[in-house]
Amino acid sequence: MKIRMKTILKTTAGLLGGALVVALVLSGSVTAQAKDLKLLNVSYDPTRELYQDFNAAFAKYWKDKTGDTLKIEQSHGGSGKQARAVIDGLEADIVTLALAYDVDAIAEKARLLPVDWQKRLPNNSAPYTSTIVFLVRKGNPKGIKDWDDLVKPNIGIIPANPKTSGAARWTYLAAWGYALKKNGGDEAKAKEFVTKFYKNVPVLDTGARGATTTFVQRGIGDVLVGWENEAILSLAESGKGEFEIVWPSLSILAEPPVTVVDKNAKRRGTEVVAKAYLEYLYTPEGQEIAAKRHYRPRNVAVAEKYAAEFPKLNLFTIDEVFGGWQKAQKAHFADGGSFDQIQQAKR
Amino acid sequence: MMICRPGRLEAIQKYRRPDRDSGGRPEKIKMKLKTIIAAGLILAVQLGITAARAQTSEVDVNALLQRIQELEQKVKAIELEKKTATSEPTPNTTASVPSADTNSIRELDQKIRVLERNQELATEAAEARAKETPRLSVGNGGFALSSADTNFVLKLRGLVQIDTRTFLDDNSASVGNDGFVVRRARPILEGTVYRDFDFQLTPDFAGSSATLVDAWVNYRYRPELQFRIGKMKGPVGLENLQADTVGSFNERSMVSALVPVRNIGFQLGGDLGGGIASYALGIYNGAGDGRNPANNDFNDAKEYAGRLFLQPFKKSSLAGLQGLGFGVGGSYADVTANVNGLPNTTGGTLPGYTTSGLQQFFAYNPAAGAVMADGVHWRLSPQGYYYYGSFGLLGEYVVSDQGVLNTTSLARANLAQTAWQVSAQWVLTGEAASFTGITPQRAFDPRNGNWGAWQLVARYAQLDIDSDTFGSFANPVTSANSAQGWSVGLNWWLNRNLRVLTSYSRTSFDGGGGPGLTAPAAVTQQPEQVFLTRVQLSF
């Protein structure tokens, strides 16, 4: 029996080609339709509510603009832990972290985005700001008015752990900056002040939200020291006048940055939508959402609208006092840095 | 400093609302309160020490929690007693609760709360650490070690098959001998490195010497695009691609005698549309029909092979068609004077084809000269299966068209050897039949009345030799020009790891049957009837 290969190949190819078309049509692969897209925003602890609102608004905006259906997933945790997760392979299209150093770490260690990422968006890629304030219990029973009151005996302070939390690092630096200013730039006295501060800390949570839980829900401590947005949120959600906010005489300007994780977004085909997502944060709509969720907006008009919620404060920047995040990290939060020394002294 | 005072609602924390209206209490209660508070403080200090010394000790943690509970109960009892005393004032008891006592209770309460919260955080930290700790898993899928993020995995699997072969009504000249056979004995080492790179290394100790069955590295860029290099199963035959652990019979059908068992080379493949279509394309050293290639090759001629397989209804709602799959595999090579390009030699001394009992019924055994593969060798295999519920059907056709050369007469020919088979199965115990095997609903456990899964199987297969083969390339007196075999069997799947197979196969022959005491003559002198059993352990 002789079989002609060409005949067999032609017949088989025809049959398979037809079947493939049928299969693809049945699977919906070749039908013309708008795209379904997914974005993963890896963020820090207290931004859950902000991005729940913002994601809904942006998904609608994107659907209206392009017809694409966008599903945005959120991941939250201590800023440092979140950065480590991205470095270790969590495929974030976008990171919206508590501080620039954590994004720098992603750029330097995982090389997922350029090291000059912060120049890509206005305001150092920080579309909103916040600061560090005190949340005390109703009536302020311990009479806490400023940083000096925190280091008195028998005061229970609830911050988060600077090793894992962005808010905690801002808190630490705010306390240090205050002490420096008060003592004419004396680093030793600043360290002494911060050492006393952490001696009054009974619980160190890994993230800002955990610290809020400790103070608000578990009823531990006299004062929660952390994000202004988190304090206002606690005030709003407690609903029974259980707490009060104390704005100290001096604090730090916290600039939580946002950026696209370029290589992840490229691999997942989300570069365009991820970039648009971050740009939308700077629009009046995005700024309004940030303000409603108690973050200080950059947009002047929106900021004026919400001025009553955000008192004007005397704020210093990390660049002014510490020379930027890299130097601050190395001096204070790296292994063996001043925070480790303070913890050792505490023991 | 600015203070925000949100409303006038009362605070909820009890400890922050000391009862200033005690209205007189018995002195003895005050004394008792002091005593218990003092004891509580001591205990709290002890608890702190205990916690500091033994953070990771489960025993200590349990003791700690128990003592916290005891303390809480004592505080509650004090508060209750105090309340009772307040509501039932006795004469001459007008003193209020000393503020020092109230503060002590508050401090004690805070210490308990701090201890509890720190314990909670320690537990969370321990859980987080556990997530980062490498994992060891032992189960019916084998033994596995993996990093916490599963980017690095090492699995130890294994396969042991012990067979019996009993030839029925075989004459004295038959080469078929009854006996026990260690058919396969394979430790299988496989795993993943850096998330996307898989590997497998499989030796086999069942033969007279150890052989390397599989050795490959696979890069999973995406499910749709994977690159594999090494020694692996080639893409041509459907039945051949089915795992050794799940086949319906001890031996594959005569169809698989016309495709390479393994090949060495580079292969690109993947699944499209979530498995609606799968493909493989590769370039290999090439191997003869039914052959395992040598681990090296110094022949410039390479084999190109590929396969496209469709399951068009896999994702559809048509349940009755979801298990339908069909496709085609093929290969092409231009071989130059290579004896290894001819079929396997299992069961005989010359290259040829074998039965279900692994007896050779055809050999390239011309009366004069020797035969080598020389020229174009192509294969084509339309193939398909259908699974629905407990029923399964698998069919395949293969044509292997091979250029051959008689080294003495220098006769040449292109010989088209063809084979086809259809096999069916029915899982009597109701489990779903599939290409990848059966998972017993209830593993064998006679004490609890569980008997595993039972599977009825049947197969018909036929292999036809090109008529131009006989004369210059094979001897029609000894080799059959066609073999037809049917088989029935009953398989017992005790659990995911143990399987017992039993089957009866009968293969009849056209041609051959001439005198001789060796294969293929001795084999083709009468139909082969063989009863096969297998005990298989795989994990």
Side-chain angles (χ1 to χ4, degrees):
Chain A
M1 176 176 58
K2 285 294 176 190
I3 298 164
R4 290 187 177 279
M5 185 180 183
K6 282 185 180 176
T7 306
I8 293 173
L9 284 174
K10 280 180 184 175
T11 307
T12 308
L15 287 171
L16 284 173
L20 183 59
V21 170
V22 170
L24 291 174
V25 168
L26 282 169
S27 69
S29 301
V30 295
T31 53
Q33 60 182 18
K35 285 182 286 186
D36 286 343
L37 296 170
K38 271 189 184 177
L39 271 185
L40 174 59
N41 176 2
V42 172
S43 194
Y44 61 108
D45 226 1
T47 57
R48 287 174 175 81
E49 295 79 9
L50 164 63
Y51 282 107
Q52 277 167 11
D53 293 353
F54 180 79
N55 291 346
F58 180 73
K60 183 179 182 306
Y61 160 78
W62 194 250
K63 178 85 176 175
D64 293 342
K65 183 179 178 184
T66 65
D68 294 346
T69 302
L70 184 60
K71 183 181 178 188
I72 307 167
E73 294 173 336
Q74 299 172 223
S75 170
H76 298 272
S79 186
K81 286 177 72 176
Q82 293 292 81
R84 171 50 58 188
V86 175
I87 291 166
D88 288 345
L90 179 61
E91 291 197 326
D93 303 286
I94 294 156
V95 287
T96 53
L97 297 177
L99 44 93
Y101 179 81
D102 290 334
V103 184
D104 286 342
I106 297 170
E108 289 165 9
K109 293 179 181 171
R111 300 184 188 278
L112 295 174
L113 65 160
V115 290
D116 62 347
W117 60 272
Q118 209 163 2
K119 296 176 183 169
R120 299 191 295 191
L121 288 168
N123 305 117
N124 292 326
S125 292
Y128 43 79
T129 67
S130 191
T131 188
I132 299 301
V133 301
F134 310 154
L135 186 72
V136 297
R137 302 193 186 280
K138 185 196 172 190
N140 196 359
K142 294 289 177 83
I144 294 166
K145 297 174 183 173
D146 210 344
W147 291 99
D148 290 320
D149 298 317
L150 301 183
V151 296
K152 291 176 181 171
N154 299 318
I155 298 290
I157 309 173
I158 307 298
N161 188 339
K163 287 286 187 181
T164 51
S165 161
R169 271 176 276 178
W170 287 112
T171 299
Y172 175 102
L173 295 175
W176 193 285
Y178 169 82
L180 267 185
K181 187 178 179 187
K182 185 186 171 189
N183 295 292
D186 188 328
E187 292 278 348
K189 287 189 175 173
K191 187 175 181 181
E192 185 184 343
F193 179 87
V194 177
T195 302
K196 285 182 182 173
F197 178 98
Y198 281 97
K199 276 188 177 171
N200 280 351
V201 173
V203 176
L204 266 182
D205 283 271
T206 55
R209 184 54 58 88
T212 305
T213 301
T214 297
F215 182 74
V216 173
Q217 295 179 10
R218 302 291 193 274
I220 297 172
D222 302 303
V223 53
L224 173 72
V225 185
W227 291 117
E228 177 187 56
N229 50 279
E230 190 76 346
I232 300 174
L233 182 68
S234 298
L235 211 63
E237 290 190 342
S238 62
K240 296 175 183 174
E242 295 173 33
F243 306 105
E244 298 172 9
I245 296 176
V246 175
W247 279 274
S249 61
L250 178 68
S251 193
I252 193 165
L253 176 66
E255 296 181 301
V258 301
T259 191
V260 174
V261 185
D262 296 39
K263 287 190 178 175
N264 287 351
K266 187 175 183 182
R267 184 162 56 242
R268 290 156 59 94
T270 57
E271 288 167 297
V272 174
V273 67
K275 186 167 177 281
Y277 179 88
L278 296 184
E279 288 169 350
Y280 194 69
L281 277 168
Y282 286 88
T283 64
E285 294 78 16
Q287 292 284 287
E288 182 90 18
I289 293 168
K292 280 181 181 171
R293 284 301 180 183
H294 320 303
Y295 293 82
R296 295 183 175 228
R298 295 282 198 182
N299 181 289
V300 176
V302 179
E304 282 178 4
K305 184 178 173 184
Y306 287 87
E309 184 167 315
F310 304 112
K312 287 189 177 175
L313 300 177
N314 186 14
L315 301 175
F316 61 84
T317 68
I318 190 168
D319 290 343
E320 289 166 0
V321 177
F322 299 96
W325 265 113
Q326 293 292 341
K327 286 183 180 174
Q329 176 73 25
K330 189 177 177 185
H332 296 283
F333 308 120
D335 289 345
S338 62
F339 178 71
D340 281 349
Q341 294 164 21
I342 287 167
Q343 289 296 95
Q344 286 288 338
K346 190 178 169 184
R347 294 189 189 111
Chain B
M1 187 276 297
M2 283 166 280
I3 298 179
C4 174
R5 298 183 186 282
R8 297 171 181 274
L9 294 175
E10 290 187 0
I12 58 166
Q13 301 299 331
K14 284 183 182 175
Y15 75 91
R16 297 183 56 248
R17 292 194 302 167
D19 187 352
R20 298 180 185 280
D21 189 25
S22 57
R25 307 162 56 238
E27 192 62 25
K28 64 178 184 180
I29 291 177
K30 284 170 64 182
M31 292 304 293
K32 188 176 177 184
L33 183 66
K34 282 183 179 177
T35 306
I36 293 176
I37 287 168
L41 285 170
I42 292 165
L43 274 172
V45 172
Q46 288 176 335
L47 289 174
I49 294 167
T50 305
R53 283 178 177 168
Q55 286 182 351
T56 57
S57 164
E58 193 176 340
V59 174
D60 288 345
V61 166
N62 289 335
L64 190 64
L65 288 173
Q66 189 180 347
R67 296 173 82 174
I68 286 171
Q69 285 172 355
E70 288 168 5
L71 265 176
E72 280 183 326
Q73 286 170 359
K74 284 179 180 173
V75 170
K76 283 177 185 172
I78 291 166
E79 287 179 340
L80 183 64
E81 203 168 351
K82 181 177 138 189
K83 202 172 179 180
T84 306
T86 303
S87 60
E88 296 174 6
T90 55
N92 302 322
T93 54
T94 55
S96 61
V97 176
S99 62
D101 285 355
T102 307
N103 288 336
S104 295
I105 291 173
R106 187 185 302 160
E107 284 174 17
L108 183 58
D109 177 78
Q110 276 289 292
K111 284 183 178 176
I112 290 170
R113 286 170 188 265
V114 168
L115 278 171
E116 286 180 330
R117 182 61 172 157
N118 277 327
Q119 179 58 38
E120 198 177 338
L121 293 175
T123 304
E124 285 174 9
E127 287 171 357
R129 277 197 301 275
K131 285 179 185 170
E132 294 170 1
T133 305
R135 301 168 192 171
L136 169 66
S137 68
V138 178
N140 56 28
F143 305 87
L145 279 170
S146 76
S147 59
D149 59 8
T150 69
N151 285 346
F152 293 83
V153 180
L154 181 64
K155 287 182 183 175
L156 177 62
R157 296 174 48 227
L159 170 64
V160 177
Q161 293 174 338
I162 310 297
D163 293 6
T164 67
R165 294 175 192 158
T166 306
F167 293 90
L168 309 176
D169 294 334
D170 51 330
N171 62 29
S172 57
S174 172
V175 295
N177 291 315
D178 303 344
F180 294 95
V181 178
V182 179
R183 182 68 177 88
R184 292 182 177 89
R186 299 175 180 175
I188 302 167
L189 197 64
E190 63 184 22
T192 301
V193 294
Y194 286 95
R195 187 184 61 188
D196 300 329
F197 296 89
D198 303 323
F199 65 89
Q200 189 178 85
L201 184 64
T202 309
D204 193 343
F205 299 102
S208 52
S209 61
T211 57
L212 184 65
V213 179
D214 286 302
W216 50 257
V217 177
N218 185 71
Y219 174 51
R220 270 182 291 110
Y221 178 69
R222 301 170 62 99
E224 298 86 357
L225 192 60
Q226 302 188 40
F227 307 87
R228 181 173 295 191
I229 189 164
K231 189 172 185 180
M232 67 194 97
K233 284 188 175 179
V236 182
L238 176 64
E239 185 190 42
N240 188 57
L241 283 170
Q242 192 171 38
D244 297 323
T245 52
V246 300
S248 294
F249 293 91
N250 283 33
E251 303 300 336
R252 292 184 170 85
S253 72
M254 288 182 277
V255 159
S256 292
L258 298 188
V259 301
V261 176
R262 294 288 193 285
N263 230 322
I264 298 175
F266 172 83
Q267 180 176 295
L268 179 70
D271 292 333
L272 307 174
I276 286 177
S278 61
Y279 73 97
L281 289 168
I283 177 168
Y284 312 88
N285 281 344
D289 291 349
R291 270 190 186 272
N292 261 311
N295 292 333
N296 50 32
D297 176 63
F298 303 103
N299 192 325
D300 286 344
K302 296 295 171 239
E303 184 171 288
Y304 305 90
R307 176 174 183 260
L308 178 63
F309 197 80
L310 305 175
Q311 297 175 83
F313 305 101
K314 183 177 181 180
K315 302 276 185 181
S316 78
S317 57
L318 303 171
L321 293 175
Q322 286 171 351
L324 175 66
F326 54 90
V328 63
S331 68
Y332 177 88
D334 194 352
V335 182
T336 303
N338 184 358
V339 71
N340 291 325
L342 290 176
N344 196 10
T345 54
T346 301
T349 55
L350 292 168
Y353 301 116
T354 57
T355 64
S356 296
L358 295 184
Q359 297 196 96
Q360 190 169 331
F361 63 88
F362 166 83
Y364 282 101
N365 58 350
V371 182
M372 301 182 86
D374 191 72
V376 171
H377 183 190
W378 60 265
R379 303 181 184 93
L380 199 65
S381 171
Q383 54 197 247
Y385 58 58
Y386 175 70
Y387 294 97
Y388 181 67
S390 300
F391 177 73
L393 199 62
L394 188 148
E396 186 174 8
Y397 172 85
V398 176
V399 51
S400 174
D401 188 291
Q402 180 152 35
V404 294
L405 167 70
N406 185 313
T407 55
T408 300
S409 67
L410 302 181
R412 290 178 179 278
N414 286 322
L415 306 175
Q417 322 297 9
T418 61
W420 64 275
Q421 69 111 348
V422 175
S423 67
Q425 61 170 292
W426 181 260
V427 187
L428 303 172
T429 42
E431 286 83 352
S434 80
F435 187 70
T436 53
I438 296 168
T439 302
Q441 288 173 353
R442 283 178 285 274
F444 175 69
D445 181 4
R447 283 184 291 273
N448 292 304
N450 297 330
W451 299 96
W454 291 82
Q455 177 192 35
L456 198 58
V457 293
R459 179 173 75 194
Y460 181 84
Q462 181 169 325
L463 191 150
D464 295 307
I465 304 295
D466 191 319
S467 55
D468 289 350
T469 306
F470 295 99
S472 297
F473 309 104
N475 186 344
V477 176
T478 57
S479 286
N481 58 55
S482 176
Q484 308 88 35
W486 59 265
S487 308
V488 291
L490 181 65
N491 300 330
W492 182 20
W493 301 64
L494 284 79
N495 48 48
R496 290 285 302 274
N497 301 116
L498 272 167
R499 198 165 73 122
V500 176
L501 286 72
T502 59
S503 65
Y504 168 81
S505 290
R506 186 180 194 279
T507 306
S508 53
F509 310 101
D510 295 335
L517 298 176
T518 58
V523 173
T524 55
Q525 285 164 3
Q526 68 286 312
E528 177 195 88
Q529 299 178 75
V530 61
F531 181 71
L532 300 167
T533 68
R534 166 171 295 170
V535 174
Q536 172 184 295
L537 172 71
S538 63
F539 58 87

